[in-house]
Amino acid sequence: MNPQANNLVPKVHPLTRDVAPEDPMELVATPVPGDPDVMLQCLVQEFAWMGWNADQLLGLFRSPAYPVLNQLREYYGDDVIRQRIHTLLGRSGVFRVQETIAADPEPAEEEEPELIPLSVRRVVGD
């Protein structure tokens, strides 16, 4: 039996517990072992899919609002981060959407769909 099992706090789903003033229910990151290269690749691809280009991504790595990106920049250094962003974006590209809104759209000519008459015939015994 695991001696630490008795020290664990029982898990309670957030929707089933009361809100307490000393529990702000904030998300708190917990470090776990993993591959920083995979993390970097996943984060760059995710932001590229949201339309962020290389310059915008580089700015995120210095933003205090993105501590994981700051840690990756400290781990790899500015030059490696810049090179990896350009390499990953060169492979996957940046998702772009362009929309055009017509101020006064022309009404489309709608044709009435052809009506097909249906009938039900009652068949009484042979």
Side-chain angles (χ1 to χ4, degrees):
M1 186 149 168
N2 185 355
Q4 292 181 341
N6 297 332
N7 296 334
L8 298 177
V9 176
K11 299 293 181 193
V12 178
H13 194 280
L15 292 176
T16 62
R17 66 181 172 155
D18 294 330
V19 177
E22 63 276 358
D23 179 14
M25 299 181 77
E26 292 178 5
L27 294 176
V28 178
T30 303
V32 295
D35 186 348
D37 189 54
V38 173
M39 175 65 80
L40 175 62
Q41 180 178 348
C42 290
L43 288 169
V44 169
Q45 285 178 344
E46 183 173 346
F47 282 103
W49 292 337
M50 291 188 295
W52 293 70
N53 64 29
D55 292 334
Q56 292 169 318
L57 280 165
L58 286 167
L60 291 179
F61 279 85
R62 295 195 174 278
S63 170
Y66 296 92
V68 171
L69 297 180
N70 283 248
Q71 291 171 356
L72 287 169
R73 185 178 56 84
E74 290 172 11
Y75 181 80
Y76 285 111
D78 289 333
D79 292 336
V80 172
I81 292 293
R82 185 177 296 103
Q83 183 261 337
R84 290 297 311 275
I85 288 173
H86 287 289
T87 300
L88 290 167
L89 292 182
R91 249 190 277 154
S92 65
V94 175
F95 184 72
R96 295 277 187 229
V97 176
Q98 182 178 2
E99 64 182 63
T100 304
I101 298 174
D104 294 322
E106 304 243 346
E109 290 184 29
E110 294 185 31
E111 292 183 17
E112 289 289 326
E114 181 181 343
L115 296 178
I116 302 172
L118 298 176
S119 62
V120 177
R121 206 170 39 155
R122 186 174 195 164
V123 178
V124 181
D126 280 340

